PDB file of all heavy atoms in Angstrom:
ATOM      1  N   SER A  51       0.958  25.091   8.536  1.00  0.00           N
ATOM      2  CA  SER A  51       0.571  25.198   9.951  1.00  0.00           C
ATOM      3  C   SER A  51       0.939  26.596  10.596  1.00  0.00           C
ATOM      4  O   SER A  51       2.141  26.876  10.652  1.00  0.00           O
ATOM      5  CB  SER A  51       1.228  24.115  10.802  1.00  0.00           C
ATOM      6  OG  SER A  51       0.917  24.289  12.170  1.00  0.00           O
ATOM      7  N   THR A  52      -0.028  27.417  10.769  1.00  0.00           N
ATOM      8  CA  THR A  52       0.287  28.716  11.356  1.00  0.00           C
ATOM      9  C   THR A  52      -0.800  29.160  12.290  1.00  0.00           C
ATOM     10  O   THR A  52      -1.962  28.682  12.253  1.00  0.00           O
ATOM     11  CB  THR A  52       0.327  29.824  10.197  1.00  0.00           C
ATOM     12  OG1 THR A  52       0.680  31.045  10.731  1.00  0.00           O
ATOM     13  CG2 THR A  52      -1.049  29.941   9.376  1.00  0.00           C
ATOM     14  N   ASN A  53      -0.467  30.059  13.140  1.00  0.00           N
ATOM     15  CA  ASN A  53      -1.418  30.637  14.080  1.00  0.00           C
ATOM     16  C   ASN A  53      -1.930  31.951  13.622  1.00  0.00           C
ATOM     17  O   ASN A  53      -2.790  32.632  14.411  1.00  0.00           O
ATOM     18  CB  ASN A  53      -0.787  30.737  15.470  1.00  0.00           C
ATOM     19  CG  ASN A  53       0.299  31.743  15.471  1.00  0.00           C
ATOM     20  OD1 ASN A  53       1.083  31.765  14.461  1.00  0.00           O
ATOM     21  ND2 ASN A  53       0.568  32.561  16.480  1.00  0.00           N
ATOM     22  N   ASP A  54      -1.486  32.367  12.399  1.00  0.00           N
ATOM     23  CA  ASP A  54      -1.727  33.761  12.068  1.00  0.00           C
ATOM     24  C   ASP A  54      -2.564  33.882  10.729  1.00  0.00           C
ATOM     25  O   ASP A  54      -2.269  33.136   9.723  1.00  0.00           O
ATOM     26  CB  ASP A  54      -0.432  34.400  11.768  1.00  0.00           C
ATOM     27  CG  ASP A  54      -0.545  35.960  11.520  1.00  0.00           C
ATOM     28  OD1 ASP A  54      -0.828  36.295  10.430  1.00  0.00           O
ATOM     29  OD2 ASP A  54      -0.305  36.733  12.444  1.00  0.00           O
ATOM     30  N   LYS A  55      -3.577  34.583  10.666  1.00  0.00           N
ATOM     31  CA  LYS A  55      -4.665  34.671   9.600  1.00  0.00           C
ATOM     32  C   LYS A  55      -3.939  35.277   8.356  1.00  0.00           C
ATOM     33  O   LYS A  55      -4.150  34.793   7.181  1.00  0.00           O
ATOM     34  CB  LYS A  55      -5.839  35.362   9.916  1.00  0.00           C
ATOM     35  CG  LYS A  55      -6.746  34.593  10.934  1.00  0.00           C
ATOM     36  CD  LYS A  55      -7.998  35.340  11.232  1.00  0.00           C
ATOM     37  CE  LYS A  55      -8.985  34.612  12.293  1.00  0.00           C
ATOM     38  NZ  LYS A  55     -10.148  35.357  12.625  1.00  0.00           N
ATOM     39  N   LYS A  56      -3.115  36.254   8.587  1.00  0.00           N
ATOM     40  CA  LYS A  56      -2.414  36.863   7.436  1.00  0.00           C
ATOM     41  C   LYS A  56      -1.429  35.937   6.653  1.00  0.00           C
ATOM     42  O   LYS A  56      -1.488  35.891   5.603  1.00  0.00           O
ATOM     43  CB  LYS A  56      -1.659  38.058   7.948  1.00  0.00           C
ATOM     44  CG  LYS A  56      -0.855  38.885   6.909  1.00  0.00           C
ATOM     45  CD  LYS A  56      -0.111  40.102   7.535  1.00  0.00           C
ATOM     46  CE  LYS A  56       0.775  40.796   6.414  1.00  0.00           C
ATOM     47  NZ  LYS A  56       1.361  42.010   6.979  1.00  0.00           N
ATOM     48  N   ILE A  57      -0.698  35.144   7.519  1.00  0.00           N
ATOM     49  CA  ILE A  57       0.079  34.073   6.978  1.00  0.00           C
ATOM     50  C   ILE A  57      -0.711  32.968   6.218  1.00  0.00           C
ATOM     51  O   ILE A  57      -0.301  32.588   5.173  1.00  0.00           O
ATOM     52  CB  ILE A  57       1.097  33.621   8.062  1.00  0.00           C
ATOM     53  CG1 ILE A  57       1.978  34.512   8.539  1.00  0.00           C
ATOM     54  CG2 ILE A  57       1.864  32.327   7.488  1.00  0.00           C
ATOM     55  CD1 ILE A  57       2.970  34.161   9.672  1.00  0.00           C
ATOM     56  N   ALA A  58      -1.786  32.690   6.928  1.00  0.00           N
ATOM     57  CA  ALA A  58      -2.648  31.612   6.331  1.00  0.00           C
ATOM     58  C   ALA A  58      -3.166  32.095   5.008  1.00  0.00           C
ATOM     59  O   ALA A  58      -3.152  31.305   3.948  1.00  0.00           O
ATOM     60  CB  ALA A  58      -3.798  31.326   7.197  1.00  0.00           C
ATOM     61  N   LYS A  59      -3.573  33.323   4.864  1.00  0.00           N
ATOM     62  CA  LYS A  59      -4.053  33.893   3.519  1.00  0.00           C
ATOM     63  C   LYS A  59      -3.063  33.814   2.510  1.00  0.00           C
ATOM     64  O   LYS A  59      -3.341  33.439   1.288  1.00  0.00           O
ATOM     65  CB  LYS A  59      -4.548  35.241   3.759  1.00  0.00           C
ATOM     66  CG  LYS A  59      -5.175  35.929   2.561  1.00  0.00           C
ATOM     67  CD  LYS A  59      -5.727  37.251   2.820  1.00  0.00           C
ATOM     68  CE  LYS A  59      -6.420  37.873   1.577  1.00  0.00           C
ATOM     69  NZ  LYS A  59      -6.942  39.312   1.935  1.00  0.00           N
ATOM     70  N   LEU A  60      -1.772  34.236   2.789  1.00  0.00           N
ATOM     71  CA  LEU A  60      -0.658  34.196   1.772  1.00  0.00           C
ATOM     72  C   LEU A  60      -0.398  32.690   1.436  1.00  0.00           C
ATOM     73  O   LEU A  60      -0.097  32.410   0.248  1.00  0.00           O
ATOM     74  CB  LEU A  60       0.622  34.879   2.427  1.00  0.00           C
ATOM     75  CG  LEU A  60       0.675  36.318   2.058  1.00  0.00           C
ATOM     76  CD1 LEU A  60       1.993  36.861   2.731  1.00  0.00           C
ATOM     77  CD2 LEU A  60       0.901  36.574   0.557  1.00  0.00           C
ATOM     78  N   GLY A  61      -0.316  31.744   2.394  1.00  0.00           N
ATOM     79  CA  GLY A  61      -0.114  30.437   2.143  1.00  0.00           C
ATOM     80  C   GLY A  61      -1.027  29.788   1.127  1.00  0.00           C
ATOM     81  O   GLY A  61      -0.596  29.140   0.231  1.00  0.00           O
ATOM     82  N   LYS A  62      -2.313  30.076   1.238  1.00  0.00           N
ATOM     83  CA  LYS A  62      -3.333  29.603   0.378  1.00  0.00           C
ATOM     84  C   LYS A  62      -3.213  30.290  -1.081  1.00  0.00           C
ATOM     85  O   LYS A  62      -3.315  29.609  -2.070  1.00  0.00           O
ATOM     86  CB  LYS A  62      -4.784  30.055   0.894  1.00  0.00           C
ATOM     87  CG  LYS A  62      -5.185  29.242   2.210  1.00  0.00           C
ATOM     88  CD  LYS A  62      -6.546  29.817   2.589  1.00  0.00           C
ATOM     89  CE  LYS A  62      -7.035  29.070   3.806  1.00  0.00           C
ATOM     90  NZ  LYS A  62      -8.295  29.621   4.379  1.00  0.00           N
TER      91      LYS A  62
END
Side-chain angles (χ1 to χ4, degrees):
S51 172
T52 184
N53 61 323
D54 189 279
K55 292 182 179 179
K56 180 179 179 180
I57 295 176
K59 185 177 179 180
L60 266 177
K62 291 177 182 178

